[in-house]
Amino acid sequence: MKVHKPCPVPTARRHLSSVEVSSGPTGYLIVEANGGLNQQRSAICNAVAVAGILNAVLVIPSFDYNSVWKDPSEFRDIYDEDHFIATLEGYVKVVKELPNELISRYDNNITNIPHLRVEAWAPAKHYLGKVYPVLQEQGVVRIAPFANRLAMDVPSHIQLLRCITNYKALRFSSPISTLAQKLQNRMIERSSMTGGKYVSVHLRFEEDMVAFSCCLYDGGDAEKFEMDSFREKGWKGKFKKKDFDFVAGRNRIDGKCPLTPLEVGMMLRGMGFDNNTSIYLASGKLYKAEQNLAPLLKMFPLLYTKESLATSDELAPFQGYSSRLAALDYTVCLFSEVFVTTQGGNFPHFLMGHRRFLYNGHAKTIKPDKRMLVSLLENMTISWKDFKDDMDAMLLESDRKGMMIPRVRKFNRKNSIYTFPLPECDCLQSHDSSHGLNHTLEPPR
């Protein structure tokens, strides 16, 4: 295996605009990351990249309290703050808070700092042309909200900042990484019959996911009333607007409905995973868990969750904090032999990218063709042999796509670098087994 060249140090002087950038930091950048764990992760990586574009000092990002996620965690609760600052030293300067003389101008309240609204997927030129002059004048800018506010297509030296942030600087805090290591070790122990290898499944069948999808399952009128009530409570009149068009049956045919535990079990058995397969199930609280989980447990009795692997005392500090719980799932899934994603979203996209990074471009992920799967599951005349043949073909196609690395031309990236980290991030990879990531967790051997 070739030894990769060390990463260059990105500087703000290499930019694509005629704007003159000073040699020293121009001011302080404040962002408010919103969403769940991995949407926040995306915002953090983008914030570091924007700080590089603006030659600014980044203040540790704050997290917006979301009415759906309901997690009051701060940056230091989820990530190792000191490691984050130290790793980015020499690339982007990061501080925990604004200097006293600057924050005192705004009555010691960051929310009093006038904030800029930046369009979604804004190019680097926008930040240099619109945000940089304000930063020069004011000495501090605040961008809120800050989700998907930077285009995927940015100069390579700025792209590198995303790589360094995602794969080196963002390390989970000690409480999370310590328990995650225990859960991973316990999964390895419980999968001893298969050499310590296990399959992780990200199952999106929580009540809010079922409600938001507007898909129908087997609950009849009672389920419809329950889901309508949940939608009204969570999203007010969003689903009653005249321009909102959905047909549950069409959603299912289009592969937009969350897969049930039973459907996931049928798919995996069809792909050749037998009842000796150890499975780690990553999810929130499942909709009607006892009823819906029963068939999956029957097919895969060696099925575990963070709740079954950890003691109640170990999990107690994490209860009520959705992002911290998701971080546990993320880590155990990251080092599984195979990762199975059943629905889109930031969680699987980041995991697929992280696993591509760890495994030299291979996602080692099963991403089913849901349209095809639904069609097969609704075929009441199909034989088990034919179903298995189709599942084998689906698995081969998923594996083929997992190995694909998109061509990335200069200034022309359309794919997410968080899902397809190569080739921009390959200088961070090491030729030895440690991957050069300084992880507190090691891949199972």
Side-chain angles (χ1 to χ4, degrees), residues 11 34 152 236 250 339:
T11 66
N34 54 316
M152 278 299 148
K236 304 303 178 186
R250 188 174 65 204
F339 170 63

Side-chain angles (χ1 to χ4, degrees), residues 94-194:
V94 183
V95 296
K96 295 182 180 180
E97 54 189 23
L98 283 177
N100 289 333
E101 61 271 17
L102 191 55
I103 190 63
S104 61
R105 294 187 205 166
Y106 302 95
D107 296 327
N108 296 306
N109 188 343
I110 284 179
T111 60
N112 289 335
I113 297 174
H115 73 273
L116 303 178
R117 288 193 173 272
V118 176
E119 62 185 25
W121 309 111
K125 285 183 177 180
H126 176 86
Y127 284 96
L128 287 168
K130 302 293 184 180
V131 179
Y132 184 74
V134 179
L135 181 64
Q136 273 190 314
E137 181 182 340
Q138 300 292 331
V140 57
V141 293
R142 174 172 159 251
I143 304 177
F146 193 80
N148 303 325
R149 289 300 185 270
L150 179 62
M152 278 299 148
D153 182 16
V154 295
S156 58
H157 66 284
I158 298 300
Q159 206 73 279
L160 181 59
L161 290 175
R162 283 169 157 162
C163 299
I164 294 168
T165 305
N166 196 25
Y167 300 117
K168 294 190 73 174
L170 284 177
R171 185 169 70 184
F172 288 131
S173 63
S174 180
I176 291 174
S177 59
T178 299
L179 181 55
Q181 179 75 74
K182 290 179 180 178
L183 299 184
Q184 183 196 348
N185 290 340
R186 290 167 193 172
M187 276 306 301
I188 293 172
E189 291 169 9
R190 284 159 175 75
S191 56
S192 57
M193 286 191 298
T194 52

Side-chain angles (χ1 to χ4, degrees), residues 36-294:
L37 175 72
N38 289 287
Q39 186 169 327
Q40 290 173 345
R41 190 182 187 104
S42 170
I44 294 166
C45 296
N46 289 342
V48 173
V50 169
I53 293 170
L54 299 173
N55 201 25
V57 178
L58 177 66
V59 180
I60 287 284
S62 61
F63 293 161
D64 177 50
Y65 182 82
N66 186 281
S67 60
V68 176
W69 297 102
K70 297 179 180 178
D71 189 334
S73 297
E74 297 181 9
F75 187 100
R76 64 177 176 271
D77 297 316
I78 299 174
Y79 300 106
D80 184 331
E81 202 170 54
D82 292 331
H83 175 80
F84 181 77
I85 295 171
T87 303
L88 290 172
E89 186 65 37
Y91 296 99
V92 167
K93 183 173 177 57
V94 183
V95 296
K96 295 182 180 180
E97 54 189 23
L98 283 177
N100 289 333
E101 61 271 17
L102 191 55
I103 190 63
S104 61
R105 294 187 205 166
Y106 302 95
D107 296 327
N108 296 306
N109 188 343
I110 284 179
T111 60
N112 289 335
I113 297 174
H115 73 273
L116 303 178
R117 288 193 173 272
V118 176
E119 62 185 25
W121 309 111
K125 285 183 177 180
H126 176 86
Y127 284 96
L128 287 168
K130 302 293 184 180
V131 179
Y132 184 74
V134 179
L135 181 64
Q136 273 190 314
E137 181 182 340
Q138 300 292 331
V140 57
V141 293
R142 174 172 159 251
I143 304 177
F146 193 80
N148 303 325
R149 289 300 185 270
L150 179 62
M152 278 299 148
D153 182 16
V154 295
S156 58
H157 66 284
I158 298 300
Q159 206 73 279
L160 181 59
L161 290 175
R162 283 169 157 162
C163 299
I164 294 168
T165 305
N166 196 25
Y167 300 117
K168 294 190 73 174
L170 284 177
R171 185 169 70 184
F172 288 131
S173 63
S174 180
I176 291 174
S177 59
T178 299
L179 181 55
Q181 179 75 74
K182 290 179 180 178
L183 299 184
Q184 183 196 348
N185 290 340
R186 290 167 193 172
M187 276 306 301
I188 293 172
E189 291 169 9
R190 284 159 175 75
S191 56
S192 57
M193 286 191 298
T194 52
K197 298 176 180 178
Y198 60 92
V199 174
S200 60
V201 178
H202 183 225
L203 185 60
R204 293 305 315 275
F205 202 68
E206 302 91 346
E207 186 176 38
D208 63 324
M209 192 67 195
V210 173
F212 191 82
S213 70
C214 296
C215 296
L216 299 176
Y217 293 92
D218 299 325
D221 291 339
E223 178 189 288
K224 184 179 184 306
F225 177 79
E226 184 180 2
M227 291 295 100
D228 284 344
S229 299
F230 190 91
R231 281 190 283 267
E232 184 61 27
K233 180 181 178 181
W235 296 281
K236 304 303 178 186
K238 174 182 174 70
F239 296 93
K240 293 182 179 180
K241 293 179 180 179
K242 291 182 179 180
D243 60 345
F244 184 82
D245 176 40
F246 74 92
V247 179
R250 188 174 65 204
N251 280 358
R252 179 165 172 78
I253 292 171
D254 289 343
K256 295 178 180 179
C257 292
L259 294 179
T260 67
L262 171 60
E263 290 167 340
V264 172
M266 292 285 289
M267 177 187 75
L268 291 177
R269 289 304 291 267
M271 288 179 174
F273 295 93
D274 61 26
N275 60 4
N276 289 320
T277 303
S278 295
I279 290 183
Y280 180 81
L281 193 65
S283 74
K285 185 179 179 182
L286 296 180
Y287 174 57
K288 295 186 177 178
E290 187 174 347
Q291 170 187 324
N292 286 312
L293 203 54

